[in-house]
Amino acid sequence: MDLDPAPRKKQKLADNVSDLFGKNDFYNFELKPDHLDKPIWVCPNGHVFLEAHSPIYQQITDFLIAIAEPVSRPEHVHEYIITRYSLYAAVSVKLDTDYIISVLQTYCKTVNLPSEVIEFIQENTAQYGKAKLVLKHNRYYIESVYEGVLDDLLQIQSVRVAKDTVQSMIIESGENHIEDVREELDRLRDAENVEVAEKVESFEINPDMIEIVRRDCHDENFPLLEEYDFMNDTKNIKLEIDLKPSTHIRSYQEKSLSKMFSNGRARSGVIVLPCGSGKTLVGITAVCTIKHRAIVLCTSGVAVEQWKRQFELWSTVNPANIIRFTATSKDKFPENQATIVISTYSMMGFQGKRSAESQELYDKLKNHEWGLLVMDEVQVVPADMFRKVIFEVKSHCKLGLTATLVREDERIEDLNFLIGPKLYEANWLDMQSLGHIAKVQCIEVWCPMTAEFFQEYLSAKPRKKILLYVANPNKLMTCQYLVKKHEAAGDKIIIFSDNLFVLELYSKALKLPVISGQTSQDERMRILYSFENTSNNNVILVSKVADNSIDLPGANVIIQISSHFGSRRQEAQRLGRILRPKTNMVQTSEFNASFYSLVSQDTQEMWYADKRQQFLIDQGYSYKVMNIVNEVLADQTLKFSNKNEQKSLLERLLQAKDIDDEANEDPDDITPETMSRKTGDLSRLSGQSAGYALQKKSMQRHKMFRMRYKKFKPGT
DNA sequence: AAAGCCGTAA
DNA sequence: GACAGTACGGCTTT
């Protein structure tokens, strides 16, 4: 079904509204006489600035969160932007066009709201909610009570195709015919019942095209509203579940859920809460509210176990009704009872041949109609394979949860039509001052390269450059210096290095336990236990395994040695490891946790560090640059302070370089022998001969070789 | 428990 | 500005 996607419409107002003195100079606005009491600025490009010290800060924040997206929220002035998506979200919580405009008008500093903004709001709130996407008897329908809306929608090519292909599907499938007829009668009766109140028109659409239909409707300014009238859903079996009386919901958790459940129905969307602030409980409360079958999707098996435990901890659900569905645990479905299924994105999106047991469970899941789909770490959903699963599972309502709603590609925006609008986003600094998360100071430590390393760095190939700035001896020494200082203060320290070579180097030099991908599960548990529970193990070295879902409540210091390029998500997630409120946390201005990033000065790492920090800066964090190079260099007791040690380290790195070059063979040298050495046993490739696979592999590499030829071809 | 394969991050 | 490249985890099979 290859359809040309409709040209994507602009999601935001143009930035070049004014050309005078740069595009963001709005000098010519007339201020209200009492503008000092008005907390917001509204700019023609849709950006809104809020003074955080205003007495009505809290109310205005609640309003802005509902109608706009936070761009950056440091201490004093918060920036928001009004987008089409944010306006859809606003209308879906029953804020109408006039109300939005009048609130902005009342609280802005200028006499008039920019006309561009007024028009933008009018244009993008007009059609919202006029068409709905509804799930009935495991089939999807588009319906509307407004005349002519369905005809307008059918102007969209993909909608037309989705409608036409579903009809032919019903005719073709001979099986379940009786079932079809019965359901069709049900459907007609339903439609009649509703028709008494309001005329509903609807048509069924091809379930395989939901994604593309939702996207195109969004882009054509007809976003499809998804609402679940869960209290009146009598067709689906109810789930016996409530929160335990002892379970306490925090105010921000309640607030985020109120966005999902206003007017007695559930709507799909995304809730953003910082690491360690109880996202799981928000998901569980949503399940307890809807009280119908639910699926929870996580990124790892460990997370699946955690969700199961949390359900047992906070809710009254019968543990037998919690079904884990992963490679290692496949629980049995109880007869005729609603269940909570907890699984992974990989399991649901798995393309290969499934084991018999897995296939059986999977088919069951696909045949059920689900009340709620909860997506943990929802920022992964736009990935090619993961996004498929959310429409393969038929659910009335979808809730995405995350702390870090960022990706380095453009696809985070897709969540708007894949799931729904962002319903709530907590402010990290507010949560910090309320004591819900620890108060962390972020520090960037600049480590100059040693002369010898810098010399090599300048002429090294890109890959080797990385190794050189990561293994910079001054960085090693700085790390030891900081460890020493914090260990003396009784702190618990996590050292992160993405680079395994350097991880090993530190581990050997400093005699520290290390957890990386290769570490067995037993060994991990042993190290983590001793870190958490004894005082003779206060420092651990970890690779990127510890970015997610390794729980270390005791840790309060992070030292980051190397990281994955400019990943903002990784930086935030690492900070999240020490965000859990400390037991001895006192309400003072003092920091109770520290996050150090060691950066080799004058290398590419400086640029990556800047990029990585952007997400946390937008949340209001500020990085201090710390210069301790003199103290570090003066300390002769540190490993690698001695020139000979540094020299032999450099030699080891350069040797590694030679090995790399050797492995980098010329294209002409590729023979079946060298290929199979690289790719392992090729005979296992299903349905393909080794010869074909070989050719494909070298074709994949072809582009690279061509570039090298170009580069070295003389005289052209 | 290890190996093979695949998908994800960016 | 895409790309290469490395690390990792999940699912299945042996």
Side-chain angles (χ1 to χ4, degrees):
Chain A
M1 222 152 310
D2 263 9
L3 288 172
D4 275 350
R8 312 298 300 271
K9 280 203 178 167
K10 262 205 164 341
Q11 312 300 332
K12 300 171 190 167
L13 274 160
D15 268 336
N16 56 353
V17 176
S18 162
D19 286 321
L20 295 169
F21 301 106
K23 51 190 177 183
N24 291 322
D25 187 343
F26 306 124
Y27 72 97
N28 53 349
F29 284 95
E30 192 186 339
L31 293 171
K32 287 175 185 164
D34 55 346
H35 66 88
L36 288 178
D37 300 329
K38 306 293 183 181
I40 57 177
W41 272 101
V42 181
C43 303
N45 58 6
H47 286 250
V48 180
F49 293 88
L50 165 65
E51 294 172 349
H53 55 74
S54 161
I56 49 170
Y57 162 78
Q58 196 53 58
Q59 293 94 305
I60 298 293
T61 298
D62 287 350
F63 172 72
L64 286 179
I65 276 286
I67 69 147
E69 307 251 359
V71 173
S72 177
R73 294 188 285 188
E75 206 177 333
H76 301 297
V77 177
H78 296 177
E79 181 181 359
Y80 290 81
I81 181 170
I82 300 174
T83 69
R84 300 175 63 210
Y85 296 132
S86 72
L87 288 171
Y88 297 157
V91 185
S92 81
V93 294
K94 302 286 177 231
L95 301 180
D96 67 25
T97 318
D98 294 342
Y99 178 79
I100 296 171
I101 292 172
S102 79
V103 173
L104 287 173
Q105 179 69 66
T106 307
Y107 293 102
C108 77
K109 288 178 180 291
T110 54
V111 173
N112 294 310
L113 276 183
S115 58
E116 298 91 334
V117 171
I118 293 177
E119 282 160 26
F120 188 75
I121 293 172
Q122 285 168 341
E123 184 185 326
N124 288 297
T125 50
Q127 321 221 67
Y128 191 93
K130 292 205 169 157
K132 292 182 179 179
L133 178 69
V134 213
L135 179 64
K136 279 185 188 170
H137 301 96
N138 248 338
R139 293 155 182 268
Y140 285 103
Y141 301 86
I142 290 179
E143 45 172 65
S144 176
V145 294
Y146 296 89
E147 234 180 285
V149 167
L150 294 191
D151 291 336
D152 287 349
L153 283 170
L154 284 167
Q155 299 301 308
I156 302 169
Q157 192 198 12
S158 56
V159 177
R160 214 162 47 236
V161 175
K163 176 171 180 275
D164 294 345
T165 48
V166 80
Q167 285 175 337
S168 58
M169 248 174 36
I170 289 176
I171 295 161
E172 279 165 23
S173 69
E175 45 188 277
N176 289 337
H177 192 64
I178 293 167
E179 192 68 4
D180 273 350
V181 171
R182 203 176 56 79
E183 286 189 5
E184 186 62 20
L185 286 174
D186 270 357
R187 198 177 70 77
L188 287 172
R189 208 187 51 218
D190 285 350
E192 269 168 31
N193 284 345
V194 184
E195 231 165 356
V196 178
E198 42 189 13
K199 275 182 195 157
V200 183
E201 294 185 318
S202 75
F203 55 80
E204 188 176 353
I205 56 171
N206 182 346
D208 297 333
M209 290 185 65
I210 295 291
E211 178 182 337
I212 192 164
V213 164
R214 292 208 70 188
R215 189 196 66 194
D216 291 350
C217 289
H218 243 93
D219 286 356
E220 290 302 313
N221 229 339
F222 262 113
L224 296 175
L225 188 65
E226 260 187 321
E227 276 188 341
Y228 180 29
D229 188 4
F230 56 92
M231 289 196 271
N232 296 315
D233 181 357
T234 47
K235 296 193 192 75
N236 287 299
I237 190 165
K238 277 215 144 197
L239 174 71
E240 286 300 320
I241 187 170
D242 265 305
L243 289 179
K244 283 183 185 166
S246 56
T247 304
H248 181 69
I249 306 284
R250 290 177 178 163
S251 62
Y252 60 89
Q253 292 169 324
E254 199 169 340
K255 199 180 260 180
S256 63
L257 284 163
S258 73
K259 302 289 179 189
M260 184 178 177
F261 288 110
S262 68
N263 73 2
R265 288 162 182 237
R267 75 181 52 82
S268 299
V270 174
I271 292 176
V272 187
L273 293 174
C275 315
S277 65
K279 281 189 295 294
T280 314
L281 186 49
V282 170
I284 291 171
T285 309
V287 175
C288 291
T289 309
I290 288 181
K291 296 188 203 302
H292 281 93
R293 288 192 191 98
I295 298 195
V296 179
L297 294 181
C298 317
T299 48
S300 73
V302 177
V304 169
E305 297 300 324
Q306 275 169 3
W307 271 89
K308 180 181 158 67
R309 276 204 303 276
Q310 300 267 306
F311 264 109
E312 288 166 7
L313 183 64
W314 302 117
S315 84
T316 58
V317 73
N318 178 358
N321 290 359
I322 304 177
I323 311 298
R324 291 167 303 171
F325 181 41
T326 63
T328 40
S329 343
K330 296 181 186 67
D331 295 325
K332 287 267 167 295
F333 265 97
E335 289 297 317
N336 298 322
Q337 290 190 40
T339 51
I340 298 165
V341 171
I342 312 178
S343 185
T344 63
Y345 293 102
S346 310
M347 186 51 129
M348 297 304 293
F350 189 67
Q351 301 278 285
K353 188 185 164 358
R354 310 181 95 100
S355 62
E357 200 185 2
S358 166
Q359 187 67 50
E360 195 194 325
L361 258 157
Y362 181 73
D363 290 341
K364 266 190 188 154
L365 297 190
K366 284 194 59 156
N367 288 332
H368 277 146
E369 197 174 292
W370 299 86
L372 176 65
L373 170 63
V374 178
M375 282 158 285
D376 198 17
E377 306 287 355
V378 74
Q379 78 282 351
V380 306
V381 166
D384 287 336
M385 289 300 139
F386 292 174
R387 68 197 298 155
K388 289 181 190 167
V389 314
I390 64 178
F391 296 113
E392 241 143 66
V393 177
K394 306 276 191 316
S395 72
H396 285 278
C397 180
K398 304 187 280 285
L399 171 62
L401 298 171
T402 183
T404 49
L405 197 58
V406 278
R407 298 173 63 87
E408 302 308 323
D409 57 20
E410 296 292 300
R411 299 205 275 189
I412 202 75
E413 292 262 298
D414 293 0
L415 291 178
N416 284 296
F417 61 81
L418 291 172
I419 296 170
K422 190 200 293 173
L423 297 171
Y424 184 78
E425 180 166 0
N427 181 320
W428 294 43
L429 289 197
D430 286 353
M431 309 248 322
Q432 212 178 64
S433 52
L434 290 169
H436 296 314
I437 55 177
K439 198 164 165 57
V440 184
Q441 59 174 343
C442 299
I443 301 161
E444 189 175 297
V445 189
W446 290 5
C447 311
M449 293 282 272
T450 65
E452 296 79 5
F453 272 62
F454 197 58
Q455 180 80 44
E456 287 296 332
Y457 172 82
L458 290 174
S459 59
K461 287 180 188 162
R463 266 170 72 192
K464 212 45 60 180
K465 274 187 166 37
I466 297 173
L467 198 49
L468 286 164
Y469 65 60
V470 173
N472 174 12
N474 284 339
K475 199 188 252 198
L476 264 140
M477 290 162 63
T478 308
C479 178
Q480 291 169 67
Y481 178 87
L482 291 171
V483 166
K484 221 168 158 184
K485 190 179 126 203
H486 279 285
E487 221 183 348
D491 292 328
K492 291 274 181 183
I493 306 153
I494 311 174
I495 306 175
F496 277 96
S497 167
D498 261 32
N499 183 299
L500 293 185
F501 177 86
V502 174
L503 200 68
E504 277 306 308
L505 179 74
Y506 274 49
S507 165
K508 287 213 178 81
L510 312 181
K511 303 201 169 30
L512 292 173
V514 45
I515 300 179
S516 74
Q518 292 115 290
T519 316
S520 74
Q521 211 56 45
D522 281 357
E523 182 74 358
R524 289 182 197 195
M525 296 313 286
R526 204 182 54 72
I527 294 171
L528 292 178
Y529 183 85
S530 120
F531 179 80
E532 281 294 321
N533 300 299
T534 71
S535 56
N536 48 25
N537 185 1
N538 305 312
V539 191
I540 51 172
L541 273 167
V542 295
S543 73
K544 67 166 116 182
V545 274
D547 283 359
N548 304 293
S549 42
I550 279 192
D551 213 23
L552 294 161
N556 62 343
V557 176
I558 282 175
I559 303 175
Q560 183 170 243
I561 292 162
S562 90
S563 45
H564 191 60
F565 300 103
S567 171
R568 292 170 294 164
R569 194 205 98 263
Q570 190 184 47
E571 184 97 347
Q573 218 118 29
R574 286 182 173 178
L575 178 97
R577 297 308 103 204
I578 51 173
L579 230 38
R580 205 166 283 278
K582 307 303 165 211
T583 42
N584 58 349
M585 216 155 90
V586 198
Q587 296 294 317
T588 63
S589 58
E590 284 298 298
F591 294 108
N592 38 35
S594 308
F595 180 61
Y596 295 94
S597 267
L598 308 194
V599 183
S600 285
Q601 222 170 328
D602 301 320
T603 68
Q604 294 160 348
E605 205 176 23
M606 304 279 279
W607 185 84
Y608 286 126
D610 268 2
K611 190 170 182 309
R612 294 171 61 75
Q613 291 159 8
Q614 199 52 56
F615 177 80
L616 288 175
I617 287 170
D618 287 344
Q619 307 309 317
Y621 285 87
S622 52
Y623 282 75
K624 270 178 265 176
V625 174
M626 192 187 211
N627 192 336
I628 48 171
V629 63
N630 291 334
E631 292 94 313
V632 171
L633 291 178
D635 190 342
Q636 296 295 314
T637 65
L638 302 176
K639 290 257 181 191
F640 293 97
S641 58
N642 157 325
K643 279 285 161 200
N644 285 333
E645 279 175 315
Q646 295 186 6
K647 208 177 144 206
S648 73
L649 172 60
L650 185 59
E651 269 160 19
R652 277 176 66 198
L653 294 181
L654 295 179
Q655 245 172 10
K657 178 181 182 170
D658 292 343
I659 292 163
D660 274 4
D661 280 352
E662 212 171 287
N664 222 342
E665 281 138 337
D666 257 311
D668 295 341
D669 287 338
I670 290 191
T671 64
E673 287 78 17
T674 58
M675 272 317 287
S676 64
R677 203 174 69 221
K678 275 188 192 139
T679 57
D681 186 1
L682 290 170
S683 61
R684 286 170 167 276
L685 288 169
S686 54
Q688 293 173 353
S689 72
Y692 172 70
L694 184 67
Q695 189 192 8
K696 221 177 135 191
K697 190 82 190 172
S698 54
M699 272 162 60
Q700 277 169 5
R701 299 176 58 119
H702 192 176
K703 209 164 68 177
M704 193 170 81
F705 296 137
R706 206 168 48 205
M707 279 166 61
R708 274 176 64 178
Y709 282 140
K710 254 189 198 156
K711 211 167 167 180
F712 297 121
K713 219 176 219 170
T716 45

